[in-house]
């Protein structure tokens, strides 16, 4: 789902996950407020003794302030976790704020040294997590991750999360954010439409091209995409490249290694996607469409495939006709020598919760997150929002919609073969360079070789820029 789409005509949830440096509010003033002496120390937190029942040492009567992004998911799920907190700590006053412009409201509070105890740093204009980390403004969540799960006996919180969730919130070896939802990227189609036409979802790119030819002959466009935001096409392209080259290819890109974007897997994947345009398999006019327009056209069966993250089904409620029954398929394999199986998926977590370093009740903030990330809380969220939570097993036993069921099945089939490119979150300018180049590629304005050269030039410039904090994996 892309809940932020109700706020502005830009897929900000999507962008949050993959281009955090572009849409986030950079807060350079934060660096100035972290100085030597007492100012760089966390706010006093005179928590209680840590016990089996109180593993994080929460002071029973300490007030708790929670700020939550109130987008398409609403904030009822967060309020329910607060009720659980109040049930355990009835003396604690809980102050809840549901906001749409989190960064705008929180920037002066971080700079002033009086942030809330928990912040859901999500949505358009969120605070740049890289800036927060560099300014030592976020707490290390290791003690939360090592605390026992609230409702899964014998497991620590870290053991209850889906693959990649901890890594998604880790910067410089410290986990400073914990993401509540889990997004998977793939190719979407209407299951009844394919059954009616006798079409089989392709497992290889050769099969995809053959099917596209059949679809075109039937009078439908094989593909459309969210043309104004070519990042949507980058996802299957990069997933295909990662399957071909393996995780070493992904790490080379993220680590800004020389010639990383000229690796064979990337050039081959770019060549494959250039074929869609070259053979006329993209719906005419797709480049000019927004995400809502292209997705509506797809729901009208003007095109068979559309690339998107797992928020799509929820976003298309009220748009997709009854019986459309959309499902997500994994990106086809480039060839027989791929290093990752065809079942591998690109996945990442979102809805990013953090505990400020200067929170007055940091222990309470972490305990709140322990409650929010319980299996019961995650299951209730999945039922209410048709969205996969970051807690493993949260959808077990639920009757799922066609889309969410297909996403859950894809994650199950992938097992540990999940992948995620980090450069999008770490380096906003590089993400934009890659997206722009892909837009040019699939509209036949540059070649695959030019595509890789162009993005590599941007990566090299970034690698040489000493003002940019670098991350490695």
């Amino acid at each position: 789902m892309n809940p932020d789409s109700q706020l502005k005509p830009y897929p900000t949830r999507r962008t949050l996950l993959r281009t955090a440096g572009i849409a986030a509010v950079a807060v350079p003033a934060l660096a100035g407020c972290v100085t030597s002496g007492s100012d760089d120390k966390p706010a006093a937190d005179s928590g209680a003794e840590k016990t089996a029942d109180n593993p994080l040492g929460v002071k029973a009567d300490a007030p708790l302030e929670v700020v939550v992004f109130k987008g398409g998911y609403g904030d009822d799920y967060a309020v329910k976790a607060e009720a659980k907190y109040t049930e355990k700590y009835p003396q604690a006053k809980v102050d809840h704020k549901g906001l749409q412009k989190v960064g705008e409201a929180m920037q002066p509070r971080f700079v002033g040294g009086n942030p809330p105890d928990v912040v859901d740093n999500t949505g358009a204009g969120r605070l740049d997590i890289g800036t927060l980390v560099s300014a030592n403004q976020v707490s290390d969540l290791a003690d939360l991750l090592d605390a026992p799960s609230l409702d899964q006996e014998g497991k620590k919180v870290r053991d209850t999360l889906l693959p990649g969730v901890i890594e998604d919130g880790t910067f410089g070896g410290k986990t400073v954010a914990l993401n509540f939802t889990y997004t998977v990227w793939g190719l979407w189609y209407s299951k009844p439409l394919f059954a009616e036409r006798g079409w089989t979802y392709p497992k290889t790119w050769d099969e995809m091209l053959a099917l596209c030819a059949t679809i075109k002959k039937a009078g439908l466009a094989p593909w459309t995409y969210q043309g104004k935001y070519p990042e949507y096409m980058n996802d299957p392209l990069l997933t295909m490249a990662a399957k071909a080259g393996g995780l070493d290819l992904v790490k080379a890109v993220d680590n800004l290694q020389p010639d990383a974007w000229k690796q064979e897997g990337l050039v081959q994947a770019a060549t494959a996607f250039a074929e869609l345009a070259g053979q006329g398999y993209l719906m005419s006019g797709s480049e000019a469409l927004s995400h809502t327009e292209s997705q509506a056209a797809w729901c009208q069966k003007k095109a068979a495939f559309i690339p998107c993250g797992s928020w799509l089904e929820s976003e298309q409620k009220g748009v997709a006709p009854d019986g459309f029954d959309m499902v997500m398929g994994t990106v086809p394999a480039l060839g027989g020598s791929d290093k990752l199986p065809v079942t591998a998926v690109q996945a990442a977590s979102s809805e990013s919760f953090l505990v400020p370093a200067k929170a007055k009740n940091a222990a309470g903030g972490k305990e709140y997150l322990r409650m929010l990330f319980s299996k019961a809380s995650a299951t209730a969220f999945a039922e209410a929002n048709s969205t996969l939570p970051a807690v493993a097993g949260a959808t077990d036993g639920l009757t799922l919609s066609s889309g969410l069921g297909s996403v859950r099945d894809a994650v199950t089939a992938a097992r540990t073969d999940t992948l995620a490119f980090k450069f999008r979150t770490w380096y906003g300018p590089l993400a934009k360079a890659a997206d722009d180049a892909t837009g040019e590629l699939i509209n036949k304005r540059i070649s695959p070789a030019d595509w890789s050269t162009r993005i590599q030039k941007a990566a090299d410039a970034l690698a040489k820029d000493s003002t940019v904090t670098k991350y490695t994996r």
Side-chain angles (χ1 to χ4, degrees):
M1 170 180 171
N2 181 358
D4 301 329
S5 61
Q6 66 183 37
L7 304 180
K8 55 185 292 190
Y10 185 85
T12 48
R13 170 87 50 199
R14 165 69 184 75
T15 302
L16 162 68
L17 284 167
R18 324 311 293 283
T19 54
I22 297 175
V25 174
V27 279
L30 288 178
C33 77
V34 180
T35 58
S36 60
S38 60
D39 279 354
D40 61 356
K41 296 178 181 179
D45 184 272
S46 56
E49 179 184 357
K50 295 183 179 181
T51 65
D53 187 53
N54 188 9
L56 294 165
V58 178
K59 187 178 179 183
D61 62 351
L64 179 74
E65 184 182 2
V66 180
V67 170
V68 176
F69 170 67
K70 193 172 182 178
Y73 295 141
D75 58 354
D76 285 350
Y77 72 99
V79 172
K80 288 176 181 177
E82 291 163 16
K84 187 76 176 177
Y85 189 93
T86 300
E87 181 182 325
K88 185 172 183 179
Y89 302 104
Q91 295 174 278
K93 178 183 177 182
V94 177
D95 178 4
H96 171 89
K97 292 181 175 68
L99 306 175
Q100 291 189 349
K101 297 181 179 180
V102 174
E104 182 179 300
M106 290 300 103
Q107 179 178 355
R109 295 194 58 183
F110 272 88
V111 173
N114 64 331
D117 302 307
V118 179
V119 177
D120 172 11
N121 186 40
T122 302
R126 71 204 163 273
L127 295 168
D128 179 15
I129 186 66
T131 301
L132 293 174
V133 172
S134 297
N136 299 316
Q137 290 287 331
V138 281
S139 296
D140 188 340
L141 301 180
D143 50 349
L144 166 62
L145 293 171
D146 288 329
S149 165
L150 193 72
D151 56 4
Q152 297 192 56
E153 189 175 352
K155 291 186 177 181
K156 297 178 180 179
V157 171
R158 69 169 68 248
D159 301 326
T160 68
L161 304 174
L162 287 171
V165 173
I166 293 175
E167 185 181 6
D168 286 341
T170 299
F171 290 75
K174 292 182 180 180
T175 303
V176 297
L178 206 53
N179 299 344
F180 189 61
T181 62
Y182 199 72
T183 299
V184 184
W185 283 267
L187 304 179
W188 291 79
Y189 62 100
S190 167
K191 190 174 182 179
L193 173 63
F194 271 51
E196 173 191 326
R197 301 298 182 100
W199 299 336
T200 300
Y201 187 84
K203 292 184 177 180
T204 68
W205 195 248
D206 284 344
E207 291 177 3
M208 170 60 81
L209 293 177
L211 178 57
C212 284
T214 299
I215 292 170
K216 188 175 182 180
K217 287 179 182 177
L220 280 74
W223 282 57
T224 188
Y225 77 105
Q226 301 80 344
K228 291 183 178 179
Y229 314 108
E231 60 191 274
Y232 281 85
M233 272 300 226
N234 239 346
D235 289 319
L237 191 162
L238 292 177
T239 300
M240 179 180 286
K243 289 183 180 184
L247 296 182
D248 286 343
L249 178 148
V250 177
K251 291 179 180 179
V253 165
D254 288 343
N255 292 341
L256 304 179
Q257 291 182 7
D259 292 332
W261 286 90
K262 296 186 177 182
Q263 294 175 90
E264 185 178 6
L266 280 160
V267 177
Q268 289 178 341
T271 301
F273 275 78
E275 290 179 295
L276 287 176
Q279 298 190 29
Y281 293 154
L282 290 176
M283 186 178 78
S284 178
S286 289
E287 184 182 13
L289 300 180
S290 69
H291 64 298
T292 54
E293 292 167 337
S294 60
Q295 290 162 194
W298 172 72
C299 286
Q300 294 163 8
K301 300 181 181 178
K302 294 181 179 179
F305 291 106
I306 192 168
C308 200
S310 51
W311 63 76
L312 180 64
E313 182 183 42
S314 191
E315 189 170 70
Q316 296 308 107
K317 284 182 179 178
V319 179
D322 291 342
F324 188 79
D325 292 346
M326 66 182 72
V327 291
M328 189 194 78
T330 56
V331 175
L334 185 58
S337 60
D338 283 10
K339 294 183 179 179
L340 292 177
V342 68
T343 52
V345 293
Q346 185 170 182
S349 53
S350 63
E351 203 75 24
S352 184
F353 285 83
L354 53 87
V355 175
K358 294 188 178 183
K360 293 182 177 66
N361 186 11
K366 294 175 183 178
E367 176 69 3
Y368 168 78
L369 292 182
R370 191 167 76 105
M371 295 174 175
L372 181 66
F373 281 78
S374 67
K375 188 173 182 180
S377 169
T379 296
F381 176 85
E383 287 183 298
N385 293 283
S386 298
T387 299
L388 196 65
V391 178
T395 59
D396 291 352
L398 298 181
T399 300
L400 304 179
S401 59
S402 60
L404 183 56
S406 69
V407 172
R408 188 269 315 275
D409 292 345
V411 171
T412 301
R415 298 172 64 86
T416 58
D417 291 315
T418 60
L419 62 103
F421 286 85
K422 301 298 181 184
F423 78 92
R424 307 197 65 92
T425 301
W426 291 346
Y427 311 116
L430 180 56
K432 187 176 187 307
D435 295 339
D436 290 347
T438 295
E440 296 293 287
L441 173 76
I442 60 177
N443 286 287
K444 300 183 288 187
R445 289 191 286 268
I446 61 174
S447 69
D450 292 336
W451 175 87
S452 63
T453 299
R454 179 167 162 172
I455 304 174
Q456 187 60 53
K457 183 178 179 180
D460 290 342
L462 186 66
K464 295 175 183 176
D465 188 345
S466 61
T467 68
V468 176
T469 301
K470 308 300 193 302
Y471 299 100
T472 58
R473 55 183 303 190

